[in-house]
Amino acid sequence: MDLSFTEEELAFQAEVREFLENNLPAEVKDRYQRGLHFDKEGQVRWQKILNEKGWMAPNWPKEYGGTGWTATQKYIFAQEMGRASAPPPMPFGVSMVGPVIYTFGNQEQKDYYLPRILNSDDWWCQGYSEPGSGSDLASLKTRADRDGDDYIVNGQKIWTSHAQHADMIFCLVRTDQDAKAQEGISFLLIDMKSPGITVRPIIGLDKEHTLNEVFFDDVRVPIANRVGEENKGWTYAKFLLGNERTSIARIAQSKLRVEHLHEIAASERVNGGLLNQDRDFMRKLTQIEVDLMALEYTELRMLSKIEKGEKLTAEPSLLKIKGSEIQQRLTELLVESLGMYGAAYESQAVREGRNDLNFAPDYAHGPMAEHLYLKAATIYGGSNEIQRNIISKMVLGL
């Protein structure tokens, strides 16, 4: 595996770096750098900038609006995005439902939805998990019954990220009540403005409104909004989850957090000296760096396989497990590095409403919020325990 870049690739890297320096909005960069949840207006603005450049969906086929980049160029782009503190596009549209539509959808669905995803005209959320059906997703109960040219959908989804902002939801529903667990499931695209949909907020451990419950009460969904064949939705769901688990690794962002920790350690004082002189703290940071480097090489090996046209097996699960665990260790160490400043946590809404002085250093705003939110990283996208089961079956044959 040759890890050196060609002259053309180095020129591409310089082009990406220059574009990000000149076009990334400062307020969008600041929120992402701090680990705060996005502001929808700022995120849409940034995504439209990417789309205008033609860089919104590097992983899509060129015929649908992708870049036509090689795997190496995609890797360079992701690394430069992380280096510049540039948030990637929201994954639910461009990384999840978009590939399902262009792979399994009909021409009418491709023509309508794909341009709207690229231009951020539709904001998507994911209707997978239910009460009692999380990692055991095949046990879902939300049902869709045929009525003429429509399905009538009834049920509940939970932990639905950013549903309060969404225009559309891609949803797994049971269309055959008598079939076995992984059969009888269909994949529907549902307009969030449909009568009968109710969204209720779930306030997370970080005191922020990111998660939601979504209720469906006799919601009419045109059969034309079904992707692929009826009762074959589990196939499409597995395809989507493979894309999700790869993106969850967030290697570029973790490398940025490591750099940030070194900066903090060079300025914060503890026990009469600088934090970077504390052997226990630096041991933990160095171990994370070693593990992150190993994870990055695992990703590079995966990219090498893709370049050669080889089929992936358990690689997305490996990336998801190690990537999410490293994220949690990093944010925990960030909070530790702040000492008493990290403990005085307030939600974003409370902080913005205060008018008293804040004596904490500027970089103390964000790490605790991200640390609390990422407690879920080893659960969402398929819990790490489930990912280990997948690896044991696909690699070890257990």
Side-chain angles (χ1 to χ4, degrees):
M1 184 172 64
D2 185 1
L3 298 181
S4 58
F5 293 146
T6 65
E7 290 186 9
E8 291 80 6
E9 288 163 348
L10 289 172
F12 173 74
Q13 183 183 51
E15 180 189 359
V16 173
R17 190 169 295 182
E18 181 181 10
F19 171 79
L20 294 173
E21 288 175 354
N22 294 331
N23 293 277
L24 176 61
E27 65 274 16
V28 174
K29 176 176 181 174
D30 181 67
R31 294 191 71 86
Y32 190 70
Q33 199 167 39
R34 294 178 184 277
L36 299 171
H37 292 303
F38 67 87
D39 168 80
K40 183 180 179 181
E41 181 180 353
Q43 182 71 17
V44 169
R45 177 186 170 197
W46 169 231
Q47 290 180 186
K48 285 182 177 291
I49 292 171
L50 285 173
N51 188 46
E52 185 176 348
K53 180 68 173 176
W55 291 357
M56 177 66 173
N59 291 317
W60 287 21
K62 197 168 185 178
E63 63 187 289
Y64 298 124
T67 58
W69 290 342
T70 65
T72 302
Q73 287 176 306
K74 294 172 188 176
Y75 171 77
I76 290 171
F77 180 70
Q79 294 302 306
E80 291 302 317
M81 288 275 282
R83 177 183 173 276
S85 297
M90 285 297 293
F92 303 108
V94 72
S95 299
M96 297 184 190
V97 74
V100 170
I101 291 172
Y102 68 62
T103 304
F104 303 105
N106 58 42
Q107 193 60 47
E108 185 178 353
Q109 291 167 342
K110 295 175 188 178
D111 291 343
Y112 180 76
Y113 289 111
L114 296 181
R116 295 180 64 83
I117 290 171
L118 290 175
N119 199 44
S120 303
D121 294 329
D122 288 329
W123 194 272
W124 287 82
C125 62
Q126 180 182 32
Y128 272 28
S129 295
E130 300 180 3
S133 298
S135 294
D136 182 21
L137 184 58
S139 66
L140 64 90
K141 299 294 191 295
T142 296
R143 61 186 294 159
D145 300 302
R146 284 254 196 162
D147 183 33
D149 293 331
D150 296 331
Y151 289 109
I152 307 299
V153 179
N154 285 279
Q156 177 187 357
K157 299 296 179 177
I158 199 167
W159 314 122
T160 312
S161 298
H162 310 298
Q164 74 272 28
H165 301 306
D167 305 294
M168 299 289 297
I169 182 171
F170 56 91
C171 224
L172 291 183
V173 297
R174 191 163 295 284
T175 43
D176 185 341
Q177 312 306 317
D178 301 319
K180 294 180 181 178
Q182 282 145 342
E183 300 172 5
I185 292 173
S186 296
F187 193 105
L188 297 185
L189 312 176
I190 303 177
D191 189 330
M192 289 291 285
K193 297 184 292 295
S194 303
I197 294 181
T198 303
V199 178
R200 296 180 185 171
I202 299 174
I203 305 303
L205 188 63
D206 59 353
K207 302 182 182 180
E208 303 287 353
H209 178 197
T210 305
L211 305 169
N212 300 270
E213 297 176 284
V214 181
F215 297 87
F216 301 88
D217 296 300
D218 291 332
V219 177
R220 282 193 170 270
V221 180
I223 291 174
N225 282 31
R226 186 191 70 224
V227 175
E229 299 180 50
E230 186 173 82
N231 300 327
K232 299 296 184 182
W234 189 250
T235 299
Y236 317 140
K238 289 192 296 182
F239 171 86
L240 183 149
L241 286 171
N243 292 331
E244 180 185 12
R245 286 162 187 161
T246 304
S247 63
I248 284 174
R250 297 170 74 184
I251 294 172
Q253 187 176 16
S254 290
K255 291 174 71 174
L256 184 70
R257 296 285 175 267
V258 167
E259 292 178 13
H260 188 40
L261 267 167
H262 276 291
E263 293 170 359
I264 292 174
S267 59
E268 284 293 312
R269 304 191 70 83
V270 61
N271 298 326
L274 291 172
L275 186 56
N276 61 10
Q277 297 170 332
D278 185 292
R279 297 176 67 179
D280 183 58
F281 180 88
M282 293 307 297
R283 175 187 58 79
K284 288 185 279 190
L285 178 54
T286 302
Q287 185 61 59
I288 291 174
E289 288 187 86
V290 171
D291 293 343
L292 183 57
M293 183 183 295
L295 181 63
E296 185 174 13
Y297 274 81
T298 300
E299 183 184 47
L300 288 169
R301 284 195 297 271
M302 186 181 78
L303 290 174
S304 180
K305 290 184 69 173
I306 293 172
E307 286 273 57
K308 296 174 184 176
E310 298 178 11
K311 187 177 180 180
L312 300 180
T313 56
E315 287 89 349
S317 293
L318 286 167
L319 289 178
K320 197 275 175 177
I321 290 171
K322 294 305 297 183
S324 59
E325 290 176 349
I326 287 172
Q327 290 167 47
Q328 290 179 341
R329 288 161 59 196
L330 273 170
T331 55
E332 183 177 341
L333 201 57
L334 269 167
V335 170
E336 180 183 330
S337 73
L338 299 175
M340 62 180 180
Y341 296 125
Y345 173 68
E346 296 171 328
S347 68
Q348 181 74 3
V350 170
R351 182 183 176 88
E352 290 177 347
R354 294 184 65 121
N355 61 5
D356 58 343
L357 293 175
N358 182 12
F359 294 99
D362 183 62
Y363 53 72
H365 176 42
M368 179 61 82
E370 187 178 37
H371 168 63
L372 294 173
Y373 178 73
L374 286 178
K375 286 293 184 182
T378 48
I379 300 173
Y380 58 57
S383 72
N384 284 12
E385 289 77 13
I386 295 296
Q387 302 313 310
R388 290 186 173 91
N389 286 344
I390 292 173
I391 293 168
S392 69
K393 290 174 64 176
M394 297 188 75
V395 179
L396 303 177
L398 300 178

